Amino acid sequence: MAKLIDGQAIASDVREKLALDVQKLKEECSVPGFAPGLAIVQVGSRSDSNVYVNHKIKAAAEVGINAVHVRLPKSISQAELLLEIQKLNNDNSIHGIIVQLPLDSDEKLDSDLATNTVLPEKDVDGLNCINAGKLSRGDLENCFIPCTPRGSLELIRRTGMEVKGVDAVVLGRSKILGSPMADLLKWNHATVTTCHTRTKDLASHVSKADLLVVGVGVPNLLKGEWVKPGAVVIDCGINVIPDATKKKGTKLVGDIEFDVAKERAGWITPVPGGVGPMTVAMLLANTYDSARRSAANFKSGPWNISYLPLDLKDPVPCDLEVAKAQTPKNIADVAREINILKDELDLYGNKKAKISLSIVKRLETQSDGRYVLVTGITPTPLGEGKSTTAVGLSQALGAELKRNVMTCLRQPSQGPTFGIKGGAAGGGYSQVIPMDEFNLHLTGDIHAITAANNLLAAQIDARMFHEATQKDEALYSRLVPDKKGKRVFSDIQLARLKRLGIEKTDPNSLTEEEVRKFVRLNIDPKTITWNRVIDTNDRFLRKITVGQSPTEKGKTRETQFDISVGSEIMAILALTTDMRDMRAKLGKIVVASDMDGNPVTADDFGVGGALMVLMKDAIRPTLMQTLEGTPVLVHTGPFANIAHGNSSIIADKIALKLVGSDGFVVTEAGFGADIGMEKFFNIKCRYSGLVPNVVVLVASVRALKMHGGGPPVTPGVPLPKPYVEENLELLGKGFCNLRKQIENVLKFGVPVIVAVNSFATDTQNEVELVKKLAKENGAFDAVICTHWAHGGKGAKDLAEAVIRATDVPSNFKFLYDLQMPMREKIKTIACEIYGADDVEFSDEAETSMDRYIKQGFNDLPICMAKTHLSLTDNPARKGAPTGFTVAVRNVRASVGAGFIYPLIGTISTMPGLPTRPCFYDIDLDPDTEEVFGLF
């Protein structure tokens, strides 16, 4: 007589253990309120399906799994069904999804399409073709096994049978049971024969089986006398047959003649009470497994990341040639390696992707990594390799030292890309790839900023025109039109009414005076600070006249274009922390003052919401990679000479969470430490709340020689003789600039490491002199770097120095208090950071400052717009001058972004093209579509 395999008891045992595992997972997960989540999608309301669903929900609750029953009407279309499944795919609280079959629908629905729409990692039924494929190939650790086969294997093991080597017969070939059961037994080393209802001489096959698993849905198909004596028999069939002895007139039976088979078998499952309870238990087990893997994404630890080898050439080819010689990883693989979930990734092809802001919520309890800022001395027009050093340092920390590391860089503007400087992806063997995509449109963020900026500019002139050509009532009728006998204020108009102190919501209830206040912005044209922008160097747009068409009725005014990356909207994007914060900042943009001296904002023009819509994708950072396969977040691109010169707070915060407490985030500040770094500390750190651990200050021998009195360095012209021959005297004189920048870093209480970016023309004596002088003047360390020629290997010493420096607590402090008078804050920066004796304000600057102070903007930080080629306001003055005065010619306010920006000297917010721009060398191969000549 066979022993009965009690599926009820075994399933109960499985659920009890599962409940303990779920509780432990909840306690250990760093996310408050974390719990495994199961979604059951049911179309229609078949009574048998209702019973199954309710049973699953009850069982889930017993073990601590949150089960959601998604009821869908019988009338649902295929597209609507797939959309509902996609919503669950994108829900981070759902770890398992099952589609209850059969689909009870009035429409013709494809159940296979539905189950294949479920993400493989949430397919706890194991019906997705990817999971089925992995199971068929034996990849059992990386797939979900369908619940009934998994439960059947557990029942087999509970009998004490060792599956390895036994002769097994699986009767049935369905996708749900037979085929996956045969695969599962095969990869557990059984010798498996698959039979079905059309198998010839079925009895002879069955009679040889030590293990028999049956599931065809035909009552009593398998005769009891066919069973081999002592065999283990798993009957997965469940069939309803007539039985007059039962109250319902029916009974449940399996596919095997149970009464005869139990006389021959060693072990056998009853029906009901055998496999059925195990199916539900395994559904819960699969859901727990999925949740456990998901919870692992919330834990910090070393990434399982692959690095790309470099094929170093000597001499080093041009940057674009180096970049094209490397084959990047698929960006989805990069994301997976650093624990970014699929639903947090929007692919832009295979080499770049946008990161969803939902990742911030998922990682909010994660500890931050170490924060490294790369800045530089006052550069030559060629640049001294700040971005290259940031990339090389990251490659060294990752590929060489195997630390979690992310680089956060700005998106290049088309201005320098096609103008004088060229690309900004790094250089040599320390680059972001694909280099051409990085330097061109990328994911279109700068275009979105341009569109938003110019929409606001268009509305300013249009509103001034309409106010000048219409009476109050006509304006009111157009601003709040009567639609089918009803007038309604929009939300943005209601907000404006509140700012005006008008607590009314009915458009028909406003008095004539209230209507006048509402419709009249009364812009003072002389105070307009909002300019149109374009992402091209175009000197002839530095002053223009608008409104010259006859249709504008003589409403002309002088204005100008700025470069797009200088737009306040770019600054807002870089300094915002989330969607809500960004919407508020866009609405607060002050574009002018009215005739009474009050600030007029983007929301007063009714355009704040539209700006947000244009920027909804731009707020998400773009994921890319370096030449050695370390991850990079590219986001925002403000210049440091006319804006605040740093990548976004959002990118830095995401990166710091992803790398974990032992990881590193390397970001760079534009141009020299006197502008980019100063703004990073005094503006970005104030709004982010992040504290830097160390500063890497990049210096080059050629720049120091220039500061020592060397001849001018001109792009496109070979370096003069003093720069390519050893000259220790010139180098020593120029060290004054590096000394001043070291001093500037130390004013903020942060340790500084000097990275001597070594070029082929440098001699050993020269780089050793820079290293020696830097240490003698307060640097934590000074390291010679060759990452341009050798990639991460050439920055390994720098990376080790950075690790040592971040082990020492920094004593970060701001340079000034926000409550200081505006003029005093400007003077503090000029005197403390630039080395000036005093500041001279023009009459126009004095008038602007008085206006902004009166409007309540004194307590904003300062963002100096100054030449990057000198510590002074004169780009021709090199070294570290003293005894000079900084000339402030005007002062503007970026209230939305949250800073005041003085215009220093002759700084222009619209660069111009040189005589020979970079674009002379740039073209596209029409056959291969490859870019060449970019840099």
Side-chain angles (χ1 to χ4, degrees):
M1 179 72 68
K3 295 180 181 179
L4 290 182
I5 305 174
D6 190 344
Q8 290 280 17
I10 296 172
S12 178
D13 184 50
V14 169
R15 290 199 302 270
E16 285 180 14
K17 181 180 182 304
L18 201 54
L20 296 174
D21 290 341
V22 168
Q23 182 59 35
K24 184 178 180 182
L25 179 63
K26 291 178 179 179
E27 293 170 354
E28 292 180 350
C29 185
S30 60
V31 179
F34 178 87
L38 171 66
I40 305 171
V41 179
Q42 181 186 5
V43 176
S45 56
R46 281 176 54 126
S47 58
D48 55 346
S49 292
N50 292 338
V51 171
Y52 297 144
V53 170
N54 290 336
H55 181 50
K56 292 169 185 173
I57 291 173
K58 181 180 177 183
E62 289 174 355
V63 301
I65 292 175
N66 295 335
V68 178
H69 186 186
V70 182
R71 295 177 177 270
L72 302 175
K74 296 176 69 173
S75 59
I76 195 167
S77 67
Q78 184 81 59
E80 290 170 329
L81 172 59
L82 300 185
L83 183 60
E84 292 294 331
I85 295 172
Q86 288 288 11
K87 289 179 183 177
L88 298 171
N89 284 339
N90 295 330
D91 188 340
N92 286 332
S93 69
I94 298 298
H95 307 103
I97 304 170
I98 65 170
V99 179
Q100 185 67 37
L101 301 176
L103 301 174
D104 180 24
S105 173
D106 296 333
E107 304 290 327
K108 186 177 180 180
L109 301 181
D110 186 338
S111 59
D112 287 339
L113 181 57
T115 54
N116 279 312
T117 300
V118 176
L119 282 176
E121 54 266 37
K122 294 189 177 187
D123 171 38
V124 289
D125 250 351
L127 299 182
N128 185 290
C129 62
I130 292 177
N131 280 318
K134 288 182 176 181
L135 175 58
S136 70
R137 297 182 64 173
D139 191 7
L140 304 187
E141 296 300 318
N142 293 302
C143 72
F144 282 113
I145 299 167
C147 304
T148 302
R150 183 178 177 183
S152 298
L153 183 61
E154 180 64 23
L155 293 178
I156 294 165
R157 286 172 172 160
R158 293 295 182 111
T159 68
M161 169 179 271
E162 185 179 357
V163 176
K164 181 180 179 181
V166 303
D167 289 321
V169 168
V170 175
L171 181 51
R173 53 183 174 177
S174 71
K175 292 181 291 185
I176 297 175
L177 174 60
S179 293
M181 189 75 232
D183 289 333
L184 186 58
L185 290 173
K186 176 180 67 177
W187 294 113
N188 277 275
H189 312 300
T191 301
V192 184
T193 301
T194 301
C195 300
H196 43 80
T197 54
R198 298 185 183 182
T199 299
K200 294 181 178 179
D201 197 9
L202 183 58
S204 67
H205 291 287
V206 172
S207 63
K208 298 173 185 176
D210 302 313
L211 171 61
L212 185 60
V213 182
V214 184
V216 289
V218 179
N220 300 319
L221 170 68
L222 193 148
K223 306 306 177 185
E225 61 267 21
W226 298 351
V227 175
K228 181 180 180 179
V232 173
V233 179
I234 306 296
D235 190 350
C236 302
I238 184 162
N239 309 284
V240 180
I241 64 172
D243 187 343
T245 66
K246 302 294 183 181
K247 186 175 181 180
K248 291 184 178 180
T250 60
K251 70 175 181 178
L252 295 178
V253 299
D255 292 349
I256 302 172
E257 283 185 340
F258 180 80
D259 291 336
V260 178
K262 72 179 181 180
E263 301 293 335
R264 298 173 62 83
W267 293 84
I268 192 168
T269 56
V271 177
V275 175
M278 288 299 292
T279 298
V280 176
M282 292 302 120
L283 171 64
L284 303 180
N286 279 349
T287 303
Y288 163 76
D289 289 343
S290 179
R292 178 170 47 81
R293 286 193 286 267
S294 177
N297 292 322
F298 298 92
K299 294 181 180 179
S300 60
W303 293 333
N304 182 20
I305 187 170
S306 60
Y307 298 104
L308 300 175
L310 294 177
D311 181 16
L312 302 176
K313 305 289 186 185
D314 186 16
V316 178
C318 73
D319 290 350
L320 189 56
E321 188 177 334
V322 170
K324 286 182 177 180
Q326 182 66 285
T327 301
K329 294 182 285 188
N330 190 301
I331 201 64
D333 293 334
V334 176
R336 176 181 48 77
E337 290 175 338
I338 62 175
N339 298 329
I340 296 175
L341 307 181
K342 278 188 177 180
D343 57 318
E344 295 167 344
L345 201 69
D346 284 331
L347 299 176
Y348 280 62
N350 294 323
K351 302 302 179 287
K352 55 186 184 290
K354 283 282 193 180
I355 307 299
S356 170
L357 298 193
S358 64
I359 196 172
V360 177
K361 178 69 175 174
R362 176 171 70 85
L363 299 175
E364 63 183 349
T365 59
Q366 186 91 287
S367 297
D368 284 350
R370 306 182 192 192
Y371 202 24
V372 182
L373 175 68
V374 178
T375 185
I377 63 171
T378 304
T380 69
L382 303 176
E384 308 320 305
K386 258 192 340 298
S387 298
T388 305
T389 301
V391 174
L393 172 58
S394 294
Q395 291 178 171
L397 285 165
E400 294 295 321
L401 301 181
K402 305 301 185 281
R403 305 296 285 262
N404 291 359
V405 61
M406 293 193 77
T407 321
C408 291
L409 297 178
R410 292 171 295 163
Q411 176 184 349
S413 161
Q414 285 182 183
T417 297
F418 292 109
I420 192 170
K421 184 173 181 290
Y429 288 101
S430 294
Q431 291 189 57
V432 179
I433 54 173
M435 181 262 213
D436 52 347
E437 294 185 30
F438 179 88
N439 280 300
L440 298 175
H441 302 285
L442 199 62
T443 48
D445 293 354
I446 293 179
H447 300 314
I449 289 164
T450 303
N453 184 101
N454 292 344
L455 177 63
L456 176 53
Q459 171 63 340
I460 293 169
D461 287 306
R463 182 61 177 265
M464 291 171 64
F465 172 81
H466 292 307
E467 287 189 27
T469 56
Q470 298 179 55
K471 294 183 178 180
D472 292 351
E473 190 54 45
L475 270 172
Y476 193 53
S477 295
R478 287 172 172 82
L479 288 170
V480 193
D482 187 321
K483 296 181 179 179
K484 298 181 179 179
K486 189 174 182 180
R487 303 175 79 178
V488 179
F489 289 121
S490 67
D491 290 343
I492 205 166
Q493 289 176 325
L494 288 171
R496 170 165 166 75
L497 287 169
K498 285 187 177 181
R499 289 194 298 276
L500 293 171
I502 301 172
E503 298 292 334
K504 294 180 179 179
T505 58
D506 180 2
N508 297 313
S509 66
L510 268 62
T511 66
E512 285 188 10
E513 176 61 20
E514 289 170 337
V515 167
R516 187 196 64 77
K517 287 174 66 177
F518 175 74
V519 301
R520 296 284 171 191
L521 297 181
N522 287 330
I523 299 294
D524 180 352
K526 299 189 300 296
T527 66
I528 296 174
T529 56
W530 194 261
N531 300 322
R532 289 164 174 82
V533 298
I534 186 171
D535 195 37
T536 303
N537 291 356
D538 193 343
R539 66 178 66 246
F540 280 85
L541 293 178
R542 289 171 178 169
K543 179 167 283 192
I544 61 171
T545 302
V546 294
Q548 293 195 25
S549 169
T551 55
E552 273 49 77
K553 301 179 181 179
K555 308 300 179 187
T556 61
R557 70 178 182 92
E558 283 191 351
T559 181
Q560 69 180 63
F561 270 77
D562 298 331
I563 195 162
S564 294
V565 291
S567 168
E568 182 178 348
I569 295 179
M570 173 64 87
I572 287 172
L573 181 63
L575 294 172
T576 196
T577 53
D578 56 35
M579 285 279 192
R580 194 175 300 278
D581 179 55
M582 185 172 180
R583 174 61 185 88
K585 282 180 163 63
L586 290 171
K588 290 178 183 176
I589 291 172
V590 173
V591 302
S593 298
D594 64 19
M595 292 298 184
D596 296 322
N598 300 309
V600 183
T601 68
D603 272 353
D604 287 326
F605 282 97
V607 74
L611 302 182
M612 187 66 194
V613 170
L614 287 170
M615 295 295 295
K616 70 180 181 67
D617 293 323
I619 195 173
R620 297 179 295 160
T622 300
L623 179 66
M624 297 186 77
Q625 63 192 290
T626 68
L627 278 168
E628 296 190 58
T630 61
V632 179
L633 284 183
V634 185
H635 202 209
T636 73
F639 286 171
N641 54 351
I642 59 175
H644 70 84
N646 290 277
S647 62
S648 76
I649 289 174
I650 285 176
D652 287 4
K653 285 194 168 187
I654 290 173
L656 285 165
K657 295 296 184 185
L658 282 169
V659 300
S661 57
D662 291 328
F664 292 80
V665 171
V666 179
T667 189
E668 55 101 21
F671 295 129
D674 54 303
I675 45 180
M677 182 201 71
E678 182 270 314
K679 295 170 185 178
F680 176 89
F681 288 148
N682 284 317
I683 300 175
K684 185 176 179 180
C685 288
R686 286 186 196 273
Y687 287 122
S688 70
L690 299 174
V691 177
N693 296 95
V694 63
V695 167
V696 173
L697 181 61
V698 179
S700 71
V701 167
R702 73 183 181 196
L704 292 176
K705 287 180 176 179
M706 177 193 71
H707 289 297
V713 175
T714 305
V717 177
L719 286 171
K721 189 176 180 180
Y723 296 108
V724 295
E725 294 181 353
E726 184 172 292
N727 191 326
L728 297 180
E729 181 182 0
L730 196 62
L731 181 62
K733 289 180 180 178
F735 179 77
C736 61
N737 187 270
L738 177 54
R739 180 192 299 117
K740 176 56 179 168
Q741 299 291 24
I742 292 173
E743 176 188 314
N744 286 342
V745 179
L746 296 178
K747 286 179 185 290
F748 293 92
V750 182
V752 55
I753 297 171
V754 171
V756 186
N757 189 18
S758 182
F759 293 86
T761 53
D762 302 340
T763 70
Q764 189 64 30
N765 288 333
E766 288 176 329
V767 294
E768 288 294 342
L769 177 60
V770 178
K771 183 177 174 181
K772 173 178 175 291
L773 292 174
K775 287 184 177 181
E776 290 175 352
N777 284 272
F780 177 89
D781 202 350
V783 183
I784 300 168
C785 305
T786 60
H787 44 274
W788 181 81
H790 303 117
K793 186 177 180 180
K796 185 176 179 181
D797 290 345
L798 175 62
E800 290 173 340
V802 164
I803 292 173
R804 292 195 302 273
T806 57
D807 286 335
V808 178
S810 66
N811 298 300
F812 175 69
K813 57 184 179 292
F814 296 114
L815 183 68
Y816 54 80
D817 294 328
L818 291 180
Q819 291 72 33
M820 286 172 61
M822 188 181 296
R823 291 170 176 82
E824 193 173 332
K825 285 184 286 191
I826 295 171
K827 184 175 179 179
T828 297
I829 295 171
C831 296
E832 293 289 325
I833 301 300
Y834 308 156
D837 281 353
D838 203 356
V839 176
E840 181 181 83
F841 297 99
S842 70
D843 292 342
E844 191 175 11
E846 294 281 8
T847 300
S848 297
M849 287 188 292
D850 289 341
R851 179 170 63 251
Y852 294 136
I853 291 168
K854 181 181 178 182
Q855 292 174 346
F857 303 138
N858 178 81
D859 293 350
L860 294 177
I862 304 299
C863 181
M864 303 280 259
K866 180 187 78 73
T867 178
H868 59 289
L869 297 174
S870 173
L871 286 167
T872 74
D873 57 12
N874 179 0
R877 294 191 69 178
K878 305 302 180 182
T882 57
F884 63 93
T885 298
V886 169
V888 179
R889 81 167 191 269
N890 201 356
V891 175
R892 296 178 184 172
S894 288
V895 176
F899 55 73
I900 299 294
Y901 69 103
L903 298 171
I904 308 300
T906 58
I907 186 70
S908 173
T909 53
M910 170 52 79
L913 289 173
T915 305
R916 191 188 188 281
C918 297
F919 56 65
Y920 273 81
D921 303 311
I922 299 171
D923 211 328
L924 185 77
D925 187 313
D927 297 318
T928 65
E929 298 186 12
E930 287 191 354
V931 175
F932 61 86
L934 191 59
F935 197 61

